[in-house]
Each structure stands twice: as structure tokens, then as C-alpha cells.
Amino acid sequence: MTPQYEVSTDQARFDVGLIHGFLSSTYWAANMPRKVLEKSIRHALCFGVFADGKQVAFARVITDYATFAYLSDLFVVPDHRGRGVSKLLMRSILDHPELQGLRRFVLATKDAHGLYAQFGFKPLSNPEDFMTIHNPDVYKQASNT
Ligand SMILES: CC(C)(COP(=O)(O)OP(=O)(O)OC[C@H]1O[C@@H](n2cnc3c(N)ncnc32)[C@H](O)[C@@H]1OP(=O)(O)O)[C@@H](O)C(=O)NCCC(=O)NCCS
């Protein structure tokens, strides 16, 4: 039976162990130290999805609450995939009252374009205008605590 899912931005409810366990094993945040994750949550608008009080999904929106937002670190735990949880999360993010009227909302994904396209995200029309400083090995030397 599909459980009732509840979305919350109350960071006191987040299961940081679960979030760290998942993210530190992903290709995009491999070996991220827990302290870095905790700081990144504190300074962002984060969303959790809960089933029977247990966290089953997470996403982080880095934003100035006025003009710009970057969607990051979205995942659903394997046991709850394929049930519309990421779509519930995306709808909650885009409907959030503090994320209205933004000039730009950006994300990066390797293979979930089809998910985000359902919510209006499109490939960059002018990728040559964007620049980045990218250090994918930033956590290699850090201790993973
Ligand atoms: C990608 C992920 C968040 C999808 O979560 P989910 O709750 O299982 O997805 P949903 O049931 O809400 O459905 C997702 C929808 O997007 C579509 N989709 C497009 N690309 C997808 C992908 N790579 N993985 C899963 N669904 C994808 C699905 O077909 C589905 O559309 P439909 O309902 O119209 O058929 C989940 O598989 C996950 O956490 N994966 C590992 C982490 C990850 O890759 N995160 C995204 C990084 S950008």
C-alpha cells in the first residue's frame, strides 16, 4: 500500500544521517563531510518528504528568495521510488511561497531531465554565457566525518 507522504521544510525533522549516507555516495557529492553537509542545509531552503514520520526524500534549494535559486541534492530513497515522490517534491518546491517571482531557477542533472522537464525546466538556451569554477575532487582530501 502506498503510504501518505508529507513534505516539510522543518530542518529539525531532517534525518541528517540518512541524507549524508545517501549524498556522500553519489557521483555529485561523493565523500562530502558531514559537517559540510550540515552547513549546506543550514544555509539553504531544504525540503524533506516523510512517510510514517520517516524521511524518504530530500532536496536543497540554494536561493536569495528574490531573484535566483539553484536546485540541488534531490533524491528519493530506493524503497519509495516510482511512486511519484520526486514529483510531489518538485511541486512543493515550485509552489513554495518564498520561491515565487524568481528571474532564474537552475539545476544540473546527468539523467533525470525527463523529471525536471515536466516542471518547466529546459536545457540552457545559451550555455556559452555560463561559466563555472568546478572542483569535483574537493572532498577527496577531506575526512568523511
Ligand atoms: C531520480 C529520482 C529522484 C526519481 O524519484 P522517484 O520518486 O522515483 O520518481 P517519480 O516516481 O516521482 O517519477 C519521476 C518521473 O520522472 C521521470 N524520470 C525522468 N528521468 C528519470 C530518472 N532518471 N529517474 C527516475 N525518473 C525519471 C519518470 O519517468 C517519472 O515520470 P512519469 O511519472 O511521468 O512516468 C530517484 O530515482 C532518485 O533519487 N535517484 C537517485 C538520485 C538522483 O539521480 N537524483 C537526481 C539527481 S539530478
Side-chain angles (χ1 to χ4, degrees):
M1 205 178 80
T2 304
Q4 280 284 104
Y5 292 109
E6 178 203 354
V7 182
S8 174
T9 56
D10 179 0
Q11 300 198 357
R13 295 184 60 189
F14 291 173
D15 182 345
V16 179
L18 173 103
I19 300 166
H20 183 246
F22 187 88
L23 290 179
S24 61
S25 68
T26 60
Y27 66 87
W28 72 85
N31 303 314
M32 181 188 224
R34 183 166 167 144
K35 278 192 176 354
V36 175
L37 172 69
E38 287 169 356
K39 187 173 179 182
S40 76
I41 291 175
R42 232 174 18 249
H43 294 288
L45 175 59
C46 300
F47 294 74
V49 183
F50 297 83
D52 301 323
K54 224 170 138 278
Q55 186 156 8
V56 300
F58 176 74
R60 204 163 64 82
V61 179
I62 303 149
T63 182
D64 62 6
Y65 298 101
T67 65
F68 179 82
Y70 183 86
L71 174 60
S72 174
D73 297 338
L74 188 150
F75 71 87
V76 176
V77 300
D79 284 355
H80 289 266
R81 288 183 191 164
R83 297 172 173 184
V85 173
S86 72
K87 296 202 286 189
L88 170 70
L89 195 47
M90 285 304 297
R91 182 47 55 217
S92 305
I93 291 168
L94 293 174
D95 287 348
H96 194 281
E98 296 274 22
L99 298 176
Q100 304 308 306
L102 304 178
R103 197 159 64 232
R104 199 184 290 275
F105 207 146
V106 181
L107 64 82
T109 183
K110 256 195 170 50
D111 63 10
H113 305 75
L115 165 62
Y116 302 117
Q118 294 188 32
F119 294 90
F121 284 86
K122 296 182 172 66
L124 293 175
S125 51
N126 50 344
E128 65 283 0
D129 291 359
F130 285 75
M131 297 177 78
T132 182
I133 295 175
H134 186 207
N135 184 0
D137 295 333
V138 68
Y139 306 134
K140 261 197 179 145
Q141 304 304 324
S143 77
N144 189 20
T145 52

